[in-house]
Every structure is written in C-alpha cells, then in structure tokens.
Amino acid sequence: MIKVSIIVPIYNVEKQLAKCLDSLLNQTLKDIQIILVNDGSEDSSAEIAKKYVVKDPDRVLYFEKENGGLSDARNYGLKYATGDFIAFLDSDDYIEKNAYEEMYNKAIEENADYVECDFIWEFPNKIRVDKQYPYKNKKEMLSFVRVVAWNKLIKRQLITDNNLEFPKGLRYEDVEFTYKLIPFINKFTYVDKPFIHYVQREGSIANVQNERTAEIFTVLDNVIE
C-alpha cells in the first residue's frame, strides 16, 4: 500500500536535483511513490532523474512532457498518484528524512486529511525557520495559512473528489490551490517541526518580480469566484 505520493516537477535544475531526490529516497517512510515530471528541461535534469528510476524502480516514476509550467507539471503528476496522501516537493528544495513518516503518522493518529509542517528559508549565507502555530478553526486558517504547496500532506481523495488542480499558466498557483482546498478540509493538524529546506536561488520564480506579478489579481478573482 502506497501511503504517500510525492510529486516533483523538474525544470532546468541540474545543480539542485540530486540533493532533492536523495532526500526523498532516504525517507524513513518506505511506502512512498516518487513521481518525477520533467517539464521540458533543456539541461541534464532528465539524465539525472532517470538514474533515480534505475536506483529504485519500484518507487520512482519518471515522465516527460512539453514545457507547460509548474502548475501543469503538478497536475500531470496528480494523474499518476495512487498514494493515500499527496505531497509536493519542488526540485530545487530538499526535505528531512523523517518528514513524511511523522506527517503521515500524525494524519493517521488524528484522522486528519491535511497536515502542515514548518520549513527553513535557506539563503546562501544564512537560514531562517518559518514557524506557524496550530489553527484553531478554518477562519484562522484562511487568515494565516502559508500559501505554499510543499509543506503539506493532503489526502488524495480530497483533491480528486473535488476536482482540485493548480491554475495553468499563472504565477501564485499555490495561492489559488490552497484557498480552493481549505473549504473541503474536514480535519487539519500540524507538526511543529521544520522539515522542508526552501532553497533560495537567484532567478527562481519566487525571486523574480516583473509584469507577471500582476497575475495575483487573476488568482484572487478565481478564489473569490
């Protein structure tokens, strides 16, 4: 039985990819499925990713598609996920080895369909822990939730039953996905540990401000609608 499916979109991350995938193969939770979606990379990311399929063919799936952006790659990976829970991890980040085991156990213990953890902002010369407190209710969650996809464990049925997906072709896709997910959550919980290393690098989508920044208004209109 696959307990957690982890979807990893890949695009031109040849320098960071091995560290990300090593952190997944070394997870203490062994009943996982690692879904690699190569979103039209033009560097050696494909060759690196395929080596991990050879290392662990029972748990690592590899797909290639034309470049469609982060949302499109995640949505593509969701079609092949069979785990009880879904997790997302960006291919330039990495994760502590006990992360999915502790988050999955927490979900089972509390019969929760959503688990959130803390994370570490990892800059070239410093780190900063990003901490949250447990939400008392959905109103607090809507007000204070960290709108990133990769520090969460989400019951797959919650996503599939409600046809939830990431908006294709827009920045701030995590904002739309998170706020559309929250109304359907029956029970949420929190693990008070920083498991994810959110690596900051120049040129990443999160660190580039341009005319596409205005797409936040489209995303928020979609959420309100």
Side-chain angles (χ1 to χ4, degrees):
M1 183 189 78
I2 297 172
K3 294 175 179 176
V4 178
S5 294
I6 305 119
I7 297 169
V8 184
I10 298 170
Y11 181 70
N12 292 352
V13 283
E14 60 184 7
K15 294 180 180 177
Q16 298 85 18
L17 184 56
K19 190 168 188 176
C20 172
L21 300 186
D22 284 339
S23 74
L24 291 176
L25 283 192
N26 292 329
Q27 287 296 301
T28 55
L29 182 67
K30 299 306 179 186
D31 302 323
I32 61 174
Q33 175 188 52
I34 302 166
I35 301 173
L36 310 181
V37 182
N38 181 6
D39 190 41
S41 293
E42 298 167 342
D43 62 1
S44 63
S45 294
E47 288 71 29
I48 296 168
K50 288 174 184 176
K51 290 178 182 176
Y52 284 83
V53 180
V54 175
K55 284 183 181 180
D56 198 337
D58 292 332
R59 297 194 301 165
V60 182
L61 302 179
Y62 175 79
F63 302 96
E64 287 185 356
K65 58 181 286 299
E66 291 184 1
N67 180 257
L70 180 61
S71 291
D72 196 42
R74 286 174 173 166
N75 293 338
Y76 190 94
L78 277 169
K79 294 186 294 184
Y80 296 95
T82 57
D84 292 339
F85 287 83
I86 298 290
F88 300 96
L89 187 65
D90 289 351
S91 50
D92 51 357
D93 298 334
Y94 63 101
I95 186 167
E96 294 294 318
K97 65 180 181 179
N98 57 327
Y100 292 128
E101 182 172 30
E102 292 203 28
M103 293 175 78
Y104 177 81
N105 288 343
K106 185 81 167 179
I108 299 304
E109 287 166 11
E110 299 199 15
N111 195 28
D113 46 26
Y114 171 105
V115 185
E116 189 173 325
C117 71
D118 292 325
F119 57 90
I120 299 166
W121 291 77
E122 194 163 297
F123 297 93
N125 300 313
K126 64 177 180 178
I127 63 169
R128 176 169 63 83
V129 176
D130 197 300
K131 286 199 63 63
Q132 182 58 282
Y133 62 88
Y135 313 113
K136 295 186 181 73
N137 49 50
K138 282 194 184 180
K139 182 177 179 181
E140 279 198 357
M141 195 177 197
L142 284 165
S143 299
F144 302 113
V145 68
R146 292 170 291 187
V147 285
V148 294
W150 34 257
N151 73 328
K152 300 166 175 59
L153 207 61
I154 306 161
K155 186 167 280 187
R156 181 168 59 89
Q157 192 174 352
L158 208 64
I159 297 173
T160 56
D161 285 358
N162 298 293
N163 299 311
L164 296 173
E165 59 179 19
F166 292 86
K168 186 178 176 181
L170 293 174
R171 288 183 65 174
Y172 309 106
E173 60 281 308
D174 289 9
V175 174
E176 181 165 333
F177 181 82
T178 302
Y179 282 121
K180 285 183 172 180
L181 171 71
I182 289 173
F184 299 109
I185 296 172
N186 299 306
K187 175 72 184 298
F188 50 83
T189 187
Y190 165 72
V191 177
D192 185 13
K193 293 181 182 178
F195 287 136
I196 316 292
H197 293 259
Y198 181 33
V199 180
Q200 302 300 296
R201 58 189 179 97
E202 288 186 22
S204 67
I205 295 173
N207 288 317
V208 174
Q209 299 298 320
N210 53 31
E211 66 276 1
R212 295 197 62 193
T213 305
E215 292 174 10
I216 186 64
F217 297 112
T218 304
V219 163
L220 292 175
D221 282 344
N222 291 344
V223 171
I224 291 166
E225 185 181 338

